[in-house]
Amino acid sequence: MLGIHQKVPRLLLQLPGHIHLSRIAINVCSLFTKTGKWEEKFTKDVRIELESFWKDKVFARCRQDTAHGVKPKFYVLSMFPYPSGKLHMGHVRVYAISDAMARYHRLTGKNVVHPMGWDAFGLPAENAAFERGEDPDEWTHSNIRNMKQQMKDLCCDFDWERELATCDPEYYKWTQFIFLKMYEAGLVYQKEAPVNWDPVDLTVLADEQIDDNGRSWRSGAVVEKRFLKQWYIRTTAYSKSLLDGLNSVNHELWRDIISLQQNWIGSCDGVRFEFKLQSELGSHDIPESVSLFTKRPEAIFGISHILLSKDHSLNKDQYYKNASTESSEDIRLNIVAVHPFSHKKIPLFVDTNREFEESLDAHIGIPSCNESDLKFVQQHKLDFVDVLDAEQGVIINSDKFSGLSFQDAYEKVVNAAKAVPVAYEDLPVVLPKVKNFRNHGKSPLTTAEDWLKVKCPKCDCDGFGERETDTMDTFVDSSWYFLRYLDPKNSHEPFSREIASKFMPVDLYIGGKEHAILHLYYARFFSHFLHDLGLIPTPEPFVNLLTQGMVMGQSFRFKSTGKYIRPHEVELKGNIAIHRDSGEPVEIQWEKMSKSKYNGVDPEAVLKEFGTDSTRLCVLSNVAPKTDRPWSNDAFIGILRWQNRIWNLVSEFVKQKKLHTSSQTTNTAELKQIDLEIHDARNYFLLEVSFHMNRTFLLNTAISRLQGFTNALRKVSDDSICNSFEFERSLAELVIMLYPFAPMFASELWSGLASVASKNINFQWSSGIENQKWPEVDENYCPPMHVKVNGKDVFDVRLPMPYNKTGQLTTEQALTLVKKHQDFDHLIGSRPLLRHQLNIYENYKVDFEISIADKKLKKKQRTNV
């Protein structure tokens, strides 16, 4: 009885004195790769067995070349995830995109880098510890194991030998190293300033982490303002470099990301100086220094005063020079700033009425540059020195900078403002094990008393210092991880310059648009800085950027209250949705998936129901990667039909190859015509798919073209398919082009084709599909030129030149060809052309656009379209 139950996964109905076994339907399919017998139909059972067999076999057999320059490199990078424990549908989409691109470029003969790692530091781990009573380190590494397996189940061919986690000392040692390098360069400083405080997570938030209602993006708590001493990175020093770098990226692919970056960077002029502070009363109860920004560093010797905003941390009663002036608009302090070059003492004032520039809480007064500063010194009878000779265009009264042009002085002053370097011997500063993570707003590290006590690194005294307990935001870790991927085991430096020179910059970076401001900005900033150190070959880290849209779920909520309800509680009556029990009107929306909105979809359930390859094809098809994708299982209907059509094509080919002998031939003239038609379709669809994989990254359009290619091959008769050279070649190439999107499905199809293939067709039939080459367009193929009138496709004109010579086509030649087309007179005739433009995508396709005055084209044209 036990043995039967173990073998049969069904409930057994037991009645007194009897044992009844329910009828069990056992579907047995014989996978060709295992049995040599080809299944004619692509059933769910075939799909299950197929994926079970192939899921561990479709990963690249060989990785990056060790020899230099053997293959051109292609670095495809997807944003690494926080290890929350489970993938969501957004992960499925981004990693399906990156895996398809990686597999495609391997087929084209490139040396592909396709790594994966974990953005594993941050509050989520600590919050998980609070909620579950678990150690954050153990919880994080457990989640990494789970998500890594899920990625393998998704058939993602990542370079796991490059895997890293930002929480490992081997990684954050070099994050600390880069931080110290920035400190040496004067880019890192501390100051006390108002910050955004999350009272639930007990942490500081950036402005971008607060929603429109003033609430934390993670906890939802109302954000408070507090004064805290914080570390800052002076990214403004690279503003001009970052702005200029946007001119070198692909504007077609970066599009609105460029404007987002430009708006975030803002003005590119200025520099920040560190001014030491002194009390005129001899008090030691003052900050050590204050960090101040100016757009006119070349005029720094002309500083007469410093104005502070009313929100500045130095605006305190004990710092007022005269208590009686507390209600005055300008309050002088009993603190002075020491000039960083001349050591002159500069008075400080709190200006309660001045509007300070955005993100600044202080203003350096230079009367030579600013009319309002001149009025201020005259009003308060302050001394000042004129440092600008406008007539000569040079700096004066500025010590060693005198006589320099304004621009030369600007650059030399900036270069002179450097900080003192620190030692590196003690890296990494390994984080201690901490038991208490709730420390009333203080860093949990303050509870690690033994770790806090550290020997002073700057002298040989017997005294001990206390470690810094402020931790860096996770953006620091995620701003350079793509460089560590290239050399993850290096124990001597963050990465080898030689290796970085070989593989940088990243050729394609894929991630959510929500990260296109902050994360992208900091990653670019780090790269510009590391380029200045001579560590990487180019300042810009990413050549092409693909920001994919979100996967949206359908949500339902009451129109009256906005309360979300579950899908099964909703009933549709025609086009109207109502609550099943109350009849109350329900609003239907497509929104970002969320547990609170009951519109989430579990990827594991989808993979179990439809299979990995069908899910990959579904998430990649129909919708452009940059567009939000409303998720519905209805989309699988078309995908499964297409898979069945391809399977049937291979089935019929295998069947006909086995049935026909070499003496059974099709009519020669008929076969020649069939080959010509297939040849034309093959080259057309191959060019289209290659164009979108290489240039636009519209994987949905590439899949659409593959579906068109499939339909073209289905038109060939059964009698012809086994005798047509072009059909056999095209069918094999269709399967190869399918491989990046559905690797397991394509691998089984390839095995079937290889079993009956003609040896005179140039494929490596004895090798797996992953070792084949991406097809090449025939050199004699003359492509069509797509003609558009007022933005609509109207007809194609066959070009009189091969696809690889289209760059020689002129606008006048193209217009002549268009006018000769049989439909030109009917559609346009003698009407004037307002505009015409030739667009050549060299080695791929040609478009010709025409604008005419008529907003609507004639009826025949619309019908043709």
Side-chain angles (χ1 to χ4, degrees):
M1 178 64 195
L2 180 61
I4 295 175
H5 189 252
Q6 285 176 330
K7 293 180 181 178
V8 182
R10 280 288 190 102
L11 291 177
L12 303 180
L13 177 63
Q14 296 188 30
L15 297 177
H18 298 81
I19 297 178
H20 295 273
L21 297 180
S22 60
R23 181 175 294 176
I24 303 169
I26 301 177
N27 295 314
V28 178
C29 66
S30 54
L31 197 66
F32 175 82
T33 314
K34 295 163 68 174
T35 66
K37 179 180 180 297
W38 184 264
E39 287 286 337
E40 290 192 7
K41 300 296 182 183
F42 183 62
T43 64
K44 185 175 182 178
D45 295 306
V46 171
R47 186 260 297 165
I48 291 173
E49 188 170 357
L50 181 157
E51 294 193 351
S52 175
F53 176 83
W54 283 106
K55 72 175 183 177
D56 296 324
K57 300 177 178 65
V58 290
F59 301 108
R61 301 294 188 269
C62 59
R63 290 297 177 188
Q64 287 69 40
D65 295 331
T66 54
H68 294 273
V70 175
K71 296 179 180 180
K73 67 94 177 176
F74 193 87
Y75 188 173
V76 55
L77 174 72
S78 49
M79 291 185 183
F80 64 169
Y82 175 76
S84 58
K86 293 188 70 174
L87 295 180
H88 54 64
M89 289 305 297
H91 288 134
V92 172
R93 190 181 196 190
V94 67
Y95 300 135
I97 292 171
S98 76
D99 190 64
M101 295 305 299
R103 290 178 186 272
Y104 163 72
H105 283 284
R106 285 198 182 101
L107 291 176
T108 63
K110 293 191 179 72
N111 190 8
V112 175
V113 177
H114 186 218
M116 179 49 62
W118 312 96
D119 191 8
F121 259 143
L123 280 173
E126 293 182 14
N127 289 339
F130 303 154
E131 297 168 6
R132 297 171 175 79
E134 298 181 30
D135 179 88
D137 182 66
E138 295 175 3
W139 182 80
T140 298
H141 282 94
S142 173
N143 287 348
I144 287 174
R145 290 190 293 272
N146 293 338
M147 292 179 70
K148 183 175 180 178
Q149 184 57 52
Q150 287 182 307
M151 288 181 180
K152 290 183 177 180
D153 292 341
L154 192 58
C155 216
C156 291
D157 192 8
F158 290 117
D159 303 344
W160 289 112
E161 67 272 16
R162 299 182 182 276
E163 183 182 11
L164 58 81
T166 59
C167 63
D168 290 340
E170 293 80 6
Y171 182 87
Y172 67 70
K173 168 184 179 178
W174 300 112
T175 302
Q176 293 168 350
F177 174 90
I178 295 171
F179 181 86
L180 292 180
K181 284 292 183 184
M182 289 183 175
Y183 184 83
E184 285 182 3
L187 296 176
V188 174
Y189 63 96
Q190 252 187 334
K191 74 171 184 177
E192 190 174 78
V195 297
N196 304 310
W197 181 256
D198 185 327
V200 173
D201 281 342
L202 304 177
T203 190
V204 174
L205 300 174
D207 290 339
E208 296 72 29
Q209 295 170 324
I210 303 171
D211 65 19
D212 295 337
N213 299 315
R215 294 182 178 274
S216 166
W217 69 292
R218 180 178 285 119
S219 72
V222 176
V223 174
E224 303 171 357
K225 284 288 184 183
R226 288 193 183 183
F227 270 101
L228 289 178
K229 194 171 187 179
Q230 294 281 297
W231 286 96
Y232 294 82
I233 296 181
R234 185 165 55 88
T235 59
T236 52
Y238 278 83
S239 292
K240 188 175 189 308
S241 177
L242 291 167
L243 277 175
D244 291 344
L246 294 173
N247 295 324
S248 66
V249 300
N250 187 322
H251 282 233
E252 182 65 24
L253 291 169
W254 283 59
R255 288 187 181 176
D256 51 338
I257 304 304
I258 292 177
S259 60
L260 288 173
Q261 286 282 299
Q262 288 172 334
N263 292 336
W264 178 251
I265 294 168
S267 173
C268 61
D269 299 320
V271 66
R272 186 175 290 274
F273 292 97
E274 199 77 12
F275 289 77
K276 290 185 178 181
L277 298 178
Q278 288 183 4
S279 168
E280 293 181 322
L281 305 179
S283 171
H284 297 290
D285 187 24
I286 62 170
E288 181 179 343
S289 63
V290 62
S291 180
L292 301 172
F293 177 83
T294 178
K295 292 183 178 180
R296 300 298 301 269
E298 74 277 14
I300 191 170
F301 278 84
I303 298 176
S304 57
H305 61 282
I306 294 169
L307 300 180
L308 308 175
S309 76
K310 60 183 178 181
D311 296 323
H312 198 281
S313 60
L314 292 178
N315 183 15
K316 297 179 180 179
D317 293 351
Q318 66 265 35
Y319 299 147
Y320 292 171
K321 192 176 185 74
N322 299 305
S324 60
T325 63
E326 185 174 344
S327 60
S328 171
E329 292 182 0
D330 303 322
I331 306 171
R332 185 161 182 170
L333 303 184
N334 56 32
I335 299 173
V336 293
V338 179
H339 194 286
F341 293 105
S342 69
H343 306 297
K344 172 186 172 183
K345 294 179 180 177
I346 305 167
L348 273 63
F349 293 82
V350 174
D351 190 332
T352 59
N353 282 340
R354 182 186 181 93
E355 289 189 9
F356 290 79
E357 292 186 48
E358 186 178 2
S359 77
L360 296 180
D361 58 3
H363 169 77
I364 294 179
I366 307 176
S368 297
C369 305
N370 190 300
E371 187 67 28
S372 65
D373 290 341
L374 180 60
K375 290 180 180 179
F376 189 93
V377 298
Q378 291 171 345
Q379 177 185 346
H380 293 275
K381 300 178 180 179
L382 302 175
D383 295 330
F384 79 96
V385 177
D386 189 9
V387 293
L388 303 181
D389 184 338
E391 291 185 4
Q392 299 295 320
V394 297
I395 299 296
I396 58 175
N397 300 321
S398 299
D399 196 48
K400 62 182 179 180
F401 305 107
S402 296
L404 295 174
S405 68
F406 295 166
Q407 183 60 38
D408 287 345
Y410 181 104
E411 294 174 0
K412 289 189 178 294
V413 170
V414 171
N415 290 334
K418 299 293 184 181
V420 178
V422 296
Y424 294 90
E425 290 79 13
D426 295 330
L427 295 184
V429 178
V430 180
L431 296 174
K433 289 284 186 179
V434 176
K435 295 182 179 179
N436 178 21
F437 290 92
R438 286 290 190 190
N439 198 25
H440 307 291
K442 296 181 181 179
S443 169
L445 295 174
T446 59
T447 63
E449 296 180 0
D450 291 341
W451 179 83
L452 282 175
K453 189 177 179 182
V454 61
K455 186 76 167 61
C456 176
K458 284 193 173 184
C459 61
D460 296 326
C461 68
D462 295 329
F464 285 85
E466 186 174 289
R467 291 190 190 274
E468 172 64 77
T469 58
D470 273 359
T471 54
M472 290 180 276
D473 193 281
T474 55
F475 83 80
V476 181
D477 298 304
S478 60
S479 294
W480 74 282
Y481 71 105
F482 46 88
L483 293 164
R484 185 65 178 176
Y485 274 149
L486 300 177
D487 198 9
K489 309 301 181 186
N490 195 328
S491 60
H492 304 292
E493 54 189 343
F495 49 86
S496 160
R497 298 185 193 201
E498 182 182 5
I499 293 176
S501 180
K502 180 182 178 183
F503 288 109
M504 286 297 292
V506 172
D507 294 280
L508 178 61
Y509 195 20
I510 307 165
K513 189 174 181 179
E514 65 272 20
H515 302 297
I517 299 180
L518 267 186
H519 164 67
L520 186 61
Y521 172 74
Y522 288 122
R524 294 182 61 232
F525 165 74
F526 269 59
S527 289
H528 280 243
F529 172 70
L530 294 172
H531 175 256
D532 278 359
L533 295 183
L535 298 179
I536 56 178
T538 60
E540 285 299 327
F542 314 121
V543 177
N544 294 313
L545 183 67
L546 177 55
T547 52
Q548 94 283 354
M550 291 185 291
V551 180
M552 314 287 276
Q554 195 172 43
S555 64
F556 306 88
R557 60 179 180 176
F558 289 121
K559 288 186 177 180
S560 57
T561 63
K563 179 184 176 182
Y564 286 94
I565 56 178
R566 291 175 171 82
H568 70 266
E569 300 179 67
V570 178
E571 183 178 352
L572 286 175
K573 290 192 173 181
N575 294 327
I576 300 174
I578 62 171
H579 186 239
R580 190 178 297 276
D581 294 335
S582 66
E584 188 175 339
V586 172
E587 186 177 42
I588 304 176
Q589 290 181 310
W590 289 98
E591 299 182 273
K592 181 179 179 179
M593 290 185 178
S594 168
K595 290 181 180 178
S596 62
K597 297 175 182 176
Y598 309 115
N599 68 340
V601 174
D602 183 4
E604 289 187 1
V606 176
L607 293 174
K608 184 177 181 181
E609 175 67 20
F610 298 102
T612 297
D613 279 349
S614 299
T615 300
R616 286 168 57 115
L617 288 169
C618 188
V619 81
L620 295 175
S621 65
N622 300 328
V623 178
K626 289 190 174 185
T627 306
D628 290 341
R629 176 176 190 115
W631 183 259
S632 170
N633 286 350
D634 292 344
F636 279 100
I637 296 173
I639 291 299
L640 293 172
R641 284 175 180 166
W642 178 42
Q643 285 185 275
N644 273 287
R645 288 168 183 160
I646 300 176
W647 187 272
N648 291 340
L649 272 175
V650 174
S651 294
E652 192 60 34
F653 178 76
V654 172
K655 175 183 174 182
Q656 293 298 329
K657 274 286 189 178
K658 290 182 176 179
L659 287 176
H660 285 64
T661 66
S662 58
S663 61
Q664 293 174 301
T665 59
T666 308
N667 178 278
T668 304
E670 179 184 344
L671 187 60
K672 185 176 181 180
Q673 182 60 33
I674 290 171
D675 274 356
L676 284 174
E677 292 176 1
I678 297 175
H679 173 272
D680 191 68
R682 177 250 181 206
N683 284 288
Y684 170 78
F685 287 114
L686 173 56
L687 263 180
E688 284 282 316
V689 175
S690 299
F691 172 70
H692 291 295
M693 296 299 285
N694 268 313
R695 297 285 292 272
T696 69
F697 308 133
L698 293 175
L699 276 67
N700 59 305
T701 307
I703 289 174
S704 175
R705 299 299 183 265
L706 290 176
Q707 291 170 335
F709 193 16
T710 305
N711 291 334
L713 294 179
R714 291 178 68 218
K715 295 177 181 178
V716 181
S717 67
D718 292 348
D719 293 335
S720 302
I721 63 176
C722 62
N723 293 311
S724 169
F725 169 87
E726 289 291 347
F727 180 88
E728 183 169 348
R729 178 176 73 145
S730 295
L731 182 58
E733 290 174 342
L734 170 64
V735 174
I736 291 172
M737 288 190 281
L738 176 66
Y739 169 76
F741 307 99
M744 294 180 287
F745 182 59
S747 294
E748 182 65 15
L749 293 172
W750 184 259
S751 296
L753 289 175
S755 69
V756 295
S758 301
K759 304 308 176 186
N760 61 336
I761 297 183
N762 190 25
F763 295 109
Q764 300 179 52
W765 292 114
S766 61
S767 188
I769 192 172
E770 73 279 359
N771 294 320
Q772 305 306 312
K773 293 180 180 179
W774 186 262
E776 295 181 357
V777 178
D778 293 321
E779 289 190 5
N780 64 347
Y781 174 65
C782 298
M785 176 172 63
H786 306 294
V787 180
K788 295 182 178 182
V789 177
N790 289 355
K792 293 184 177 180
D793 294 318
V794 291
F795 54 74
D796 292 340
V797 176
R798 181 70 64 178
L799 293 174
M801 59 191 66
Y803 79 99
N804 54 4
K805 303 290 185 181
T806 54
Q808 301 172 5
L809 184 68
T810 67
T811 302
E812 290 73 22
Q813 290 172 330
L815 181 59
T816 299
L817 291 170
V818 170
K819 287 182 175 180
K820 288 181 179 179
H821 192 275
Q822 59 185 9
D823 289 339
F824 181 83
D825 288 339
H826 172 76
L827 295 173
I828 299 173
S830 60
R831 282 171 288 184
L833 306 185
L834 301 179
R835 184 184 70 90
H836 60 276
Q837 179 176 319
L838 176 65
N839 302 313
I840 299 176
Y841 305 93
E842 201 160 355
N843 294 331
Y844 288 109
K845 58 191 295 186
V846 179
D847 292 337
F848 195 81
E849 299 179 37
I850 296 174
S851 295
I852 59 176
D854 301 57
K855 292 185 178 179
K856 294 184 179 180
L857 300 178
K858 294 184 178 181
K859 186 174 181 180
K860 181 181 177 183
Q861 184 271 329
R862 292 201 302 270
T863 302
N864 289 342
V865 170

